[in-house]
Amino acid sequence: MAGHEHHHHHLSLCFCDLMRLLWSLVMPCVYLSLALTLLLLLALLGLRMWLQGRRTSRRAQEGGPAVAFFHPYCNAGGGGERVLWCSLRALMNRYPNVSFVVYTGDKGVTGEQILEGARQRFNITLPRPVTFVFLRHRGLVEAGSYPHFTLLGQSLGSMFLGWEALTAFVPDLYVDSMGYAFTLPIFRYLGGCKVASYVHYPTVSTDMLSVVRERNPRFNNADFISRNPVLSALKVVYYCCFALLYGLAGSCSDVVMVNSTWTLGHILALWRAPSRTSIVYPPCDVRAFLDIPLEGEDEDELEEGWEELGRELGSEEEGRGGVDRKCHSIVSVGQFRPEKDHPLQIRAFRKLLDRKGDGPGGREALRLVLIGGCRNQEDEDRVLMLRGLCQELGVSDRVDFRLNVPFEELKRELVNATIGLHTMWNEHFGIGVVECMAAGTIVLAHKSGGPKLDIVVPHEGRQTGFLADSEDSYAAAMETILALSPSAKLEIKRAARESVGRFSDQEFEACFLAATECLLN
């Protein structure tokens, strides 16, 4: 018994000695932490002074300020790149004494080739030269480099890529035009630059959090995570922490431009900068379609007009003038990516065929045309899967796939289409939807995101299109559109075409200049 008490007393003494030792280390640790923090601040201050010295030297040589756009994929040829070139054109015309730089990670091309590609794809020619800074480590922001914790890996990679850009050229105004928010604090606090951002799509959103919470295997939520409650809970915590960091980084922006009402809601919730945030709709090339006559506008000259237009566009159809054409095409435009949800289009089309039957105006009078780009082997495999789904559902004879088509063929298909189909859930904007409306095609889009909030909305009290969110509702809406009278179709087409003026190049440039004016004056 005495031995037990002695052992217990010995343990108590050891514990007390340990606590005294730890307490004696508290103040040294505090002093060490303060010293390391001070050294870090001095190092950052030294870097800031060095970078600002480089900018001062550059301005003394060039005699004016410089604006730099961070766009690592500026040669990609998508809607984001159209925003870049239209922004540059607008700023060059407005500010003749400002020089312009584009940070890009494209390899194997020259600046002249990039500009020529912009001219060919978008018919945009810049009025003055632009300097390209070619970054060597674009792989740091590619998703394939991070099989796990992809969002965090890409964001950290963007910080390193942003540092490479900043050390290569120190601008007066930095514009992130691709959504790399974690580069903003680097340019603002280290480079001492004014910063602006154009957000196409939030890196993380409340919708992503809800998908994980609901354990829904949608897009970026793997099946093994959605089936496991523990992994799903951990992923929610990861997303919440990442959303907090994303919001802190984005709040560094002096001016925030977003491309739609849907994006605005998410950015306001995460970045919390309402006074500095505004909607600037992306520029859509609607002029290419506005010279096309709407079906039914001139009944007496319609047949001749459509035949002439068909010859100009190389159309194989003849006699398009009759409103009771033998075949109605339903056209979908969008890259073959998972989020575009092409399987929903095919299944809804199958239900439409079942509804119409085999009689006059039935199965043989309908055709689904899927137009889109294939970026890589993964997209091509997805097309093979979709072809297999068509065979499984027995509709392969009524579905056409058109891959990587030139613009003239796209234009012809939209002109000849009765319905323009869109099925992406929470599309941030929807340039393809705008193009369908400009071409005079009646739009049937997903009841969410940009199409619901910004595009397929009443214009002066008139209907501009239709919305749906399930196989049954899509099939029913397509049947309703096909059953409309020629005059009802014409009224919707006119209202839709009038409404797309909001998304023209001219409107974009005016709004972009208004948003950035406070930074450049």
Side-chain angles (χ1 to χ4, degrees):
M1 184 68 177
H4 179 73
E5 290 179 355
H6 176 74
H7 180 67
H8 180 73
H9 179 68
H10 179 70
L11 289 177
S12 298
L13 290 176
C14 290
F15 179 74
C16 291
D17 291 340
L18 178 63
M19 293 303 295
R20 279 194 292 268
L21 175 63
L22 292 176
W23 179 252
S24 67
L25 293 175
V26 168
M27 293 310 296
C29 288
V30 171
Y31 292 141
L32 180 61
S33 298
L34 290 174
L36 292 175
T37 301
L38 181 60
L39 288 174
L40 178 61
L41 290 175
L42 289 173
L44 293 177
L45 182 61
L47 285 174
R48 179 184 170 94
M49 294 178 63
W50 172 63
L51 291 169
Q52 289 185 331
R54 294 188 60 182
R55 177 171 58 240
T56 303
S57 176
R58 187 260 305 161
R59 289 196 63 168
Q61 293 178 356
E62 298 179 0
V67 177
F69 283 78
F70 188 75
H71 209 103
Y73 295 86
C74 74
N75 200 38
E81 287 65 60
R82 197 167 209 283
V83 168
L84 170 67
W85 304 121
C86 286
S87 302
L88 281 167
R89 182 176 61 186
L91 291 173
M92 285 181 175
N93 288 327
R94 179 69 174 271
Y95 302 100
N97 297 322
V98 176
S99 58
F100 294 90
V101 169
V102 175
Y103 301 115
T104 178
D106 293 301
K107 298 177 180 179
V109 292
T110 64
E112 291 76 14
Q113 290 171 329
I114 292 175
L115 293 174
E116 178 60 20
R119 188 192 66 79
Q120 291 180 355
R121 295 187 187 104
F122 307 120
N123 193 28
I124 294 175
T125 302
L126 299 182
R128 288 191 282 125
V130 60
T131 301
F132 289 92
V133 175
F134 290 91
L135 307 176
R136 295 173 296 170
H137 301 101
R138 190 176 71 177
L140 293 172
V141 299
E142 294 179 354
S145 301
Y146 310 98
H148 304 292
F149 299 99
T150 306
L151 290 179
L152 182 60
Q154 286 181 288
S155 299
L156 292 175
S158 71
M159 296 178 72
F160 285 103
L161 194 64
W163 173 251
E164 180 188 348
L166 180 59
T167 54
F169 184 89
V170 187
D172 298 275
L173 171 60
Y174 169 76
V175 184
D176 166 38
S177 52
M178 275 203 73
Y180 293 107
F182 286 84
T183 63
L184 298 173
I186 294 176
F187 277 83
R188 177 168 183 171
Y189 296 117
L190 289 183
C193 311
K194 293 180 179 180
V195 295
S197 54
Y198 188 94
V199 184
H200 299 273
Y201 197 88
T203 304
V204 64
S205 67
T206 54
D207 294 322
M208 294 181 185
L209 291 173
S210 65
V211 166
V212 180
R213 285 196 186 100
E214 296 167 4
R215 296 166 62 185
N216 186 343
R218 184 194 296 271
F219 305 146
N220 64 339
N221 198 22
D223 288 341
F224 75 91
I225 293 178
S226 63
R227 289 194 298 263
N228 190 311
V230 176
L231 292 178
S232 292
L234 290 175
K235 189 167 184 178
V236 169
V237 173
Y238 161 60
Y239 267 49
C240 289
C241 294
F242 182 84
L244 176 63
L245 295 174
Y246 178 64
L248 291 173
S251 64
C252 297
S253 188
D254 295 302
V255 168
V256 183
M257 294 165 281
V258 298
N259 68 340
S260 69
T261 302
W262 181 86
T263 306
L264 175 69
H266 289 286
I267 291 300
L268 289 179
L270 294 167
W271 293 16
R272 301 184 183 278
S275 62
R276 291 173 274 147
T277 306
S278 60
I279 297 177
V280 179
Y281 291 124
C284 304
D285 190 14
V286 297
R287 290 180 303 174
F289 300 98
L290 295 182
D291 59 340
I292 300 172
L294 293 176
E295 182 181 356
E297 277 192 318
D298 299 310
E299 293 292 339
D300 295 335
E301 301 177 2
L302 191 58
E303 183 168 354
E304 180 181 352
W306 277 116
E307 288 177 353
E308 181 179 352
L309 180 64
R311 288 193 295 271
E312 290 178 358
L313 297 177
S315 174
E316 296 177 357
E317 291 190 17
E318 296 181 0
R320 159 112 191 223
V323 292
D324 295 321
R325 286 171 295 146
K326 290 184 179 181
C327 185
H328 294 279
S329 65
I330 301 165
V331 174
S332 164
V333 180
Q335 287 183 322
F336 288 98
R337 305 201 309 258
E339 60 269 27
K340 297 299 182 181
D341 207 352
H342 289 92
L344 173 58
Q345 299 177 4
I346 296 170
R347 293 191 179 97
F349 181 66
R350 161 66 187 275
K351 290 198 171 186
L352 173 66
L353 295 181
D354 292 341
R355 286 169 176 259
K356 300 293 285 185
D358 295 325
R363 179 186 180 92
E364 296 303 316
L366 300 174
R367 180 166 293 279
L368 175 63
V369 182
L370 304 180
I371 302 175
C374 282
R375 303 163 298 173
N376 47 41
Q377 185 61 45
E378 185 178 353
D379 287 354
E380 293 177 5
D381 293 341
R382 193 169 293 112
V383 171
L384 290 177
M385 181 273 293
L386 293 172
R387 291 183 185 274
L389 178 62
C390 291
Q391 292 182 343
E392 178 184 336
L393 298 178
V395 296
S396 56
D397 62 321
R398 310 309 305 162
V399 179
D400 293 334
F401 289 82
R402 307 285 172 83
L403 310 181
N404 302 317
V405 302
F407 179 75
E408 284 303 315
E409 184 176 344
L410 168 65
K411 184 177 179 180
R412 181 174 71 243
E413 290 292 346
L414 289 180
V415 166
N416 292 336
T418 303
I419 299 173
L421 193 58
H422 166 276
T423 51
M424 179 176 171
W425 172 75
N426 271 349
E427 172 86 83
H428 47 98
F429 181 70
I431 291 178
V433 178
V434 174
E435 291 177 341
C436 286
M437 294 168 71
T441 303
I442 297 180
V443 164
L444 173 56
H446 199 282
K447 194 176 182 180
S448 65
K452 176 186 178 182
L453 299 174
D454 294 303
I455 303 175
V456 191
V457 296
H459 176 69
E460 298 179 351
R462 296 180 294 163
Q463 184 178 2
T464 58
F466 294 79
L467 297 169
D469 56 8
S470 65
E471 293 178 24
D472 289 328
S473 60
Y474 270 102
M478 286 188 282
E479 188 175 28
T480 299
I481 295 170
L482 294 172
L484 290 173
S485 65
S487 60
K489 290 180 182 177
L490 181 59
E491 181 63 20
I492 293 174
K493 292 177 181 180
R494 281 176 172 165
R497 176 170 282 186
E498 291 171 11
S499 73
V500 298
R502 299 171 292 148
F503 312 121
S504 66
D505 289 1
Q506 293 75 18
E507 284 293 319
F508 167 80
E509 292 182 3
C511 294
F512 185 88
L513 290 173
T516 56
E517 185 176 15
C518 61
L519 301 179
L520 285 160
N521 281 342

